[in-house]
Amino acid sequence: MALHRLTSITMGVPNTAETAAYYTDFGLTPDGDGWFTTQDAGRQLHIVHAPTRRLVEVRIGADSPDDLAAAASRLNRLGIESTINAGTLTAYDKATAVRAVLEVAPRLVQHPVAATVYNGPGRAERTGSRAPGVLRTCPVRPRKLGHAVIGTTDFDTTTAFFRDGLGFKASDYIKDHGAFLRCSTDHHNILVLAAPVAFLHHSSWQVDDIDEVGRGAAAMLENHPERHIWGLGRHHAGSNFFWYLKDPAGNFSEYYSDMDCIVDDQLWTPEVLEGARGLFNWGPPPPPSFLAPEDLAALMTGAHGEASS
């Protein structure tokens, strides 16, 4: 596909210093001016000040200027204005005010990490030593940004903006509620959720395996049990292992591993998921605060106040 990765996100929060400290603990590397890097993909998180927490911008890698022109044409057919300038296309989703920037950028090449060796019935592949996951002592550092999840008051408009305008592909849907959309071979890079207010639900960060999911969460919770939201579990949509934590602004952050990859669009058929399958395959049930974050009423009040002023 012409699009090839989620390059970065910009997160607006009222408490930038406190939130920045959290993402440093999470394993991202500060890189100046509110930016944070991952191991494999460079600058991928930008934290800026905003009156309330929100997703300000998503940046998406494209192969060529022709891909930008094609996106501009599709957006125009939807009645959405866009601007092309110096290798970028900029457009705004009307429902969420999220700024989307397509940028001509090189494709991300991740050097293969050796598969973790596990024992199983009749399969003793690891003998004479403890499991690698229990011997690791280095801090967990995410490899790359995987996806961002956006709550929107107009599900159809936001879904059309990313899918029909920018050129994302649909991987799966949650009936009447969610759209898993991809701009890479990952199962999803944007998840659009129907919500009573526009907000950033969570960002998701790739680590090497299930042990790194668990080790990362354990380290984050060691002195801050209040950070825990949901995990350990495995999703059905995307199939990935997950553990969710909460940053000081109220956004959730997810460690994940083993995400579905779609390298041939013709071999993947999107499903419409209902009930628990739209949320998880196994694990503890999601808490109410995951489905409806506790600050949604305050965010709705703030959005109403901004609209009225």
Side-chain angles (χ1 to χ4, degrees):
M1 63 190 303
L3 307 182
H4 55 77
R5 62 180 168 121
L6 185 61
T7 309
S8 68
I9 60 171
T10 295
M11 174 192 300
V13 297
N15 51 344
T16 55
E18 191 180 5
T19 304
Y22 170 94
Y23 285 97
T24 302
D25 290 347
F26 190 78
L28 303 182
T29 302
D31 197 41
D33 195 29
W35 279 98
F36 291 80
T37 65
T38 56
Q39 282 199 74
D40 296 344
R43 285 183 161 194
Q44 294 209 277
L45 174 64
H46 192 201
I47 297 175
V48 300
H49 182 267
T52 58
R53 67 182 184 90
R54 60 181 295 257
L55 182 61
V56 176
E57 179 185 84
V58 295
R59 298 184 77 91
I60 301 120
D63 282 328
S64 74
D66 289 344
D67 300 325
L68 306 187
S73 178
R74 291 192 300 268
L75 289 164
N76 184 62
R77 289 197 294 272
L78 294 176
I80 299 170
E81 295 182 358
S82 61
T83 302
I84 294 179
N85 183 37
T88 65
L89 175 147
T90 302
Y92 290 82
D93 172 39
K94 296 175 182 178
T96 63
V98 169
R99 179 172 65 247
V101 180
L102 302 189
E103 56 186 352
V104 177
R107 290 183 174 241
L108 175 64
V109 177
Q110 288 185 287
H111 298 293
V113 174
T116 304
V117 177
Y118 293 102
N119 290 336
R123 191 184 75 251
E125 297 180 355
R126 173 183 53 78
T127 60
S129 67
R130 300 187 192 278
V134 304
L135 296 176
R136 297 171 188 162
T137 58
C138 59
V140 171
R141 289 193 57 211
R143 292 285 179 178
K144 68 172 184 177
L145 170 65
H147 58 268
V149 178
I150 310 168
T152 175
T153 57
D154 191 332
F155 174 75
D156 291 339
T157 292
T158 301
T159 299
F161 175 75
F162 283 97
R163 183 192 60 202
D164 307 329
L166 297 180
F168 281 59
K169 302 287 187 181
S171 297
D172 286 309
Y173 294 96
I174 302 173
K175 187 177 181 181
D176 302 324
H177 187 74
F180 294 90
L181 308 175
R182 67 185 186 273
C183 62
S184 72
T185 58
D186 290 340
H187 177 272
H188 56 285
N189 303 105
I190 291 290
L191 168 55
V192 179
L193 288 178
V197 66
F199 74 106
L200 172 62
H201 185 277
H202 73 264
S203 61
S204 186
W205 305 85
Q206 182 194 58
V207 294
D208 289 356
D209 56 27
I210 187 173
D211 284 298
E212 297 300 87
V213 172
R215 288 201 325 114
M220 290 291 286
L221 297 174
E222 185 172 357
N223 296 311
H224 296 277
E226 75 282 357
R227 290 172 169 173
H228 173 72
I229 294 298
W230 185 29
L232 173 72
R234 188 158 193 156
H235 286 303
H236 185 83
S239 301
N240 53 293
F241 297 108
F242 66 82
W243 200 316
Y244 292 91
L245 305 150
K246 184 166 72 171
D247 74 23
N251 307 296
F252 303 147
S253 60
E254 176 190 16
Y255 290 117
Y256 82 87
S257 69
D258 193 24
M259 176 74 73
D260 289 336
C261 286
I262 303 169
V263 297
D264 187 337
D265 294 339
Q266 303 304 313
L267 299 180
W268 185 271
T269 301
E271 293 183 48
V272 178
L273 307 173
E274 297 186 59
R277 295 185 86 189
L279 289 168
F280 68 125
N281 189 280
W282 60 257
S289 61
F290 181 82
L291 303 175
E294 295 167 350
D295 63 347
L296 278 193
L299 292 175
M300 291 172 66
T301 300
H304 178 74
E306 291 176 11
S308 300
S309 61

